[in-house]
Amino acid sequence: MSAPQTIKIGEVEYLRKDALPDTEGDIKIVVLDRGFVYVGHVSSDADFVVIKNAKNIRVWGTKKGLGELVNGPLSGTTLDLVGTVRAPFRALISLIDVEQAKWKLI
């Protein structure tokens, strides 16, 4: 049996420290070749862009393009948890800065 990830005391739910997402690096939207779009904490490691606590933006849910997500996900946005993504720099199309506070809870 595995250890529980959360515990509730009164009305407050607490998350285990070792279950917290890795938050090294600023949150950015990362566009890679072949149509892959992720959001997560971005850093670099030698020849790779590293996206920690990455979520694949499967459905943008926008009317005017990806830039609408700078201020956080919209009601029509669908995100899929991926974990850590390591992509070679040659696959990087663009990095989009986002409002950090609007994406923090994602």
Side-chain angles (χ1 to χ4, degrees):
M1 186 169 159
S2 63
Q5 296 297 307
T6 61
I7 186 170
K8 191 169 185 177
I9 300 174
E11 295 300 314
V12 179
E13 189 169 16
Y14 297 91
L15 185 64
R16 288 171 47 122
K17 184 176 181 181
D18 61 354
L20 291 172
D22 190 343
T23 58
E24 178 184 325
D26 285 341
I27 300 170
K28 295 184 184 291
I29 294 173
V30 182
V31 180
L32 301 175
D33 65 3
R34 301 179 191 231
F36 288 96
V37 181
Y38 298 98
V39 63
H41 294 271
V42 176
S43 60
S44 61
D45 178 10
D47 296 326
F48 293 88
V49 61
V50 180
I51 313 161
K52 293 188 177 174
N53 195 32
K55 289 157 189 77
N56 175 255
I57 306 176
R58 182 166 35 103
V59 178
W60 298 357
T62 65
K63 294 189 186 305
K64 297 180 181 177
L66 191 54
E68 286 185 65
L69 298 181
V70 168
N71 292 311
L74 304 174
S75 62
T77 303
T78 302
L79 303 170
D80 300 315
L81 182 61
V82 178
T84 299
V85 174
R86 300 169 78 71
F89 280 117
R90 68 179 180 273
L92 181 62
I93 304 297
S94 65
L95 292 173
I96 302 172
D97 292 338
V98 300
E99 280 294 322
Q100 299 296 297
K102 303 282 178 94
W103 280 99
K104 279 228 187 268
L105 299 178
I106 300 302

